[in-house]
Amino acid sequence: MTQQFNYGVIGCGMMGQEHLRNINLIDGARVHAIFEPDAEMARKSQEFAPDAVMCGSVAELLALEELDCLLVVSPNYLHVEQLEEIAATRPLPLLMEKPLYTDPEQAVRIAEIQASYSAPIWVAMEYRYMPPVAKFLDALEKTTGGVKMLTIREHRFPFLPKVGDWNRFNEKTGGTLVEKCCHFFDLMRLALKSDPVRVMASAGQVVNHLDEVYDGERPDIWDSGYVIVDFANGARAMLELCMFAEGSRYQEELSAVGPDGKIEALVPGPGRFWPKELGDAPTSQVIVSPRYPKGPKVLDIPVDDSLLAAGDHNGSTYYQHVNFLAALRGEGEIEVSLQDGAWAVRMGHAAQQSAATGEAVAL
């Protein structure tokens, strides 16, 4: 019989509701309690978890004895404060949405939590678990003979509306190169098996949100940029981000090259944004291109329709929860640690500093 895990969920906006839909697909998992302060988001979350206890605070949720684990999907600027409350009150096993923190000065507080938290913490880096990206990572070493150059390109839609428009401002998000791009910096460290030593970037706000005003303030969130990262093992990585390119066939394109060959992963964006008049949405692909003998091989990587319908991240949210619960059952490891999550934010902050100053930043 599959062991049952009762989740307590903190934050059920757009991404939180994606988590709810995917938890519903997993045998042995259920949402027991939710804390969501926005009335409309709370109402929508009950559509996916009708039996969940609706709580009025984090403290009220943590007091429920039935909980086995926690999921935090609140706005970025609340993460550190809520982590500290959980750590001080009831440190249950925790799946923590990215980014871990928003202000470089909060890194010390994250380190303190890491040193004292008595249960597993898994940082939600969904992009690792997209099936084409997982295939790309699995075949990386064999195909390339050791990665020397890694390129990640994301051409996508602008930031979507969020409750209170918090994602329009650097102060609350941590900045685009933290909020959005921590996923890609995490993939860089994972793929290259090394830590960064230097970051150089050029980025800014050039198209999106320029005419918007919220409570008298204009958004300052960036929408595009380039980031180059040097790693301790001599490898190099580059990120290209454009958030006004939703007309693209593929949203993410990854490319890794080494002495033996090249491998690519092509990942479409959310199917709900694909125009119906264009037919079926694109299928993910992985392309393997050896140097000798030449002859690229294109592999389609289909994703189950039920997983695509459950969220905007190519099925990855489902696979992430499956692996998280396996770790809690003692059948797997915590695959994305607090240290991994902290490194991804640190790289994002370094990229933003470089873009703002025009100078490389050493790590």
Side-chain angles (χ1 to χ4, degrees):
M1 183 176 179
T2 302
Q3 183 179 354
Q4 177 75 43
F5 283 92
N6 291 323
Y7 279 82
V9 183
I10 299 170
C12 272
M14 185 182 300
M15 188 61 201
Q17 291 165 37
E18 176 170 326
H19 280 283
L20 299 186
R21 292 192 295 271
N22 281 277
I23 291 170
N24 287 343
L25 297 175
I26 300 172
D27 185 29
R30 64 184 292 269
V31 175
H32 178 72
I34 293 171
F35 166 56
E36 171 48 65
D38 182 81
E40 179 61 16
M41 292 298 103
R43 184 193 66 77
K44 288 184 177 180
S45 69
Q46 288 181 287
E47 296 177 9
F48 308 112
D51 298 326
V53 178
M54 302 304 293
C55 299
S57 67
V58 172
E60 184 180 332
L61 182 141
L62 293 175
L64 297 175
E65 294 183 4
E66 296 88 347
L67 297 183
D68 299 301
C69 58
L70 300 172
L71 168 64
V72 174
V73 205
S74 53
N76 300 1
Y77 63 95
L78 298 174
H79 286 180
V80 174
E81 177 184 331
Q82 290 175 341
L83 266 173
E84 289 175 332
E85 181 176 358
I86 294 166
T89 306
R90 191 179 175 194
L92 288 166
L94 172 62
L95 180 60
M96 182 74 208
E97 258 298 346
K98 61 80 193 169
L100 271 181
Y101 61 96
T102 57
D103 188 320
E105 294 183 359
Q106 294 174 326
V108 174
R109 294 161 67 182
I110 292 295
E112 291 172 352
I113 293 170
Q114 183 177 1
S116 63
Y117 203 89
S118 58
I121 298 179
W122 180 307
V123 181
M125 291 294 185
E126 285 88 7
Y127 283 50
R128 291 186 179 203
Y129 301 98
M130 292 178 171
V133 175
K135 176 69 174 178
F136 172 89
L137 292 169
D138 184 61
L140 205 56
E141 290 299 311
K142 181 179 180 181
T143 301
T144 66
V147 182
K148 301 302 180 184
M149 300 180 70
L150 172 67
T151 301
I152 300 175
R153 181 170 79 175
E154 182 172 67
H155 282 192
R156 56 161 281 165
F157 48 91
F159 283 116
L160 298 172
K162 295 290 181 74
V163 174
D165 305 299
W166 65 267
N167 65 339
R168 295 299 195 262
F169 299 95
N170 290 327
E171 182 181 8
K172 291 187 174 181
T173 63
T176 298
L177 298 183
V178 171
E179 203 288 331
K180 183 74 210 68
C181 300
C182 62
H183 281 300
F184 307 125
F185 297 132
D186 175 66
L187 287 177
M188 288 178 184
R189 287 185 64 247
L190 180 65
L192 298 178
K193 300 178 182 178
S194 183
D195 289 331
V197 295
R198 186 173 64 159
V199 176
M200 296 159 281
S202 175
Q205 181 187 14
V206 296
V207 172
N208 296 344
H209 318 305
L210 295 175
D211 298 326
E212 298 174 9
V213 178
Y214 302 96
D215 295 328
E217 296 186 26
R218 292 189 179 276
D220 60 359
I221 198 76
W222 294 353
D223 57 19
S224 53
Y226 295 97
V227 182
I228 297 174
V229 186
D230 290 337
F231 282 80
N233 64 359
R236 295 182 177 89
M238 186 183 80
L239 169 68
E240 176 187 335
L241 174 72
C242 180
M243 298 186 69
F244 43 91
E246 60 266 44
S248 304
R249 182 170 180 81
Y250 291 102
Q251 181 168 289
E252 287 87 27
E253 300 182 22
L254 287 70
S255 171
V257 187
D260 293 346
K262 171 182 174 181
I263 185 169
E264 300 165 88
L266 307 178
V267 186
R272 64 190 175 107
F273 295 152
W274 186 255
K276 292 182 180 179
E277 63 270 20
L278 297 182
D280 294 338
T283 298
S284 300
Q285 293 183 334
V286 169
I287 305 169
V288 177
S289 303
R291 293 181 72 186
Y292 181 83
K294 293 180 181 179
K297 298 179 181 178
V298 179
L299 308 174
D300 285 341
I301 311 293
V303 179
D304 187 273
D305 287 343
S306 65
L307 300 186
L308 293 176
D312 290 340
H313 294 83
N314 214 250
S316 61
T317 303
Y318 171 83
Y319 293 113
Q320 176 178 248
H321 277 282
V322 168
N323 289 12
F324 172 65
L325 293 173
L328 299 193
R329 289 193 297 267
E331 299 170 357
E333 302 294 329
I334 296 297
E335 296 173 4
V336 193
S337 67
L338 267 183
Q339 184 177 16
D340 292 326
W343 258 119
V345 174
R346 185 180 174 191
M347 293 170 71
H349 280 140
Q352 290 182 174
Q353 180 183 341
S354 176
T357 63
E359 298 179 355
V361 175
L363 294 172

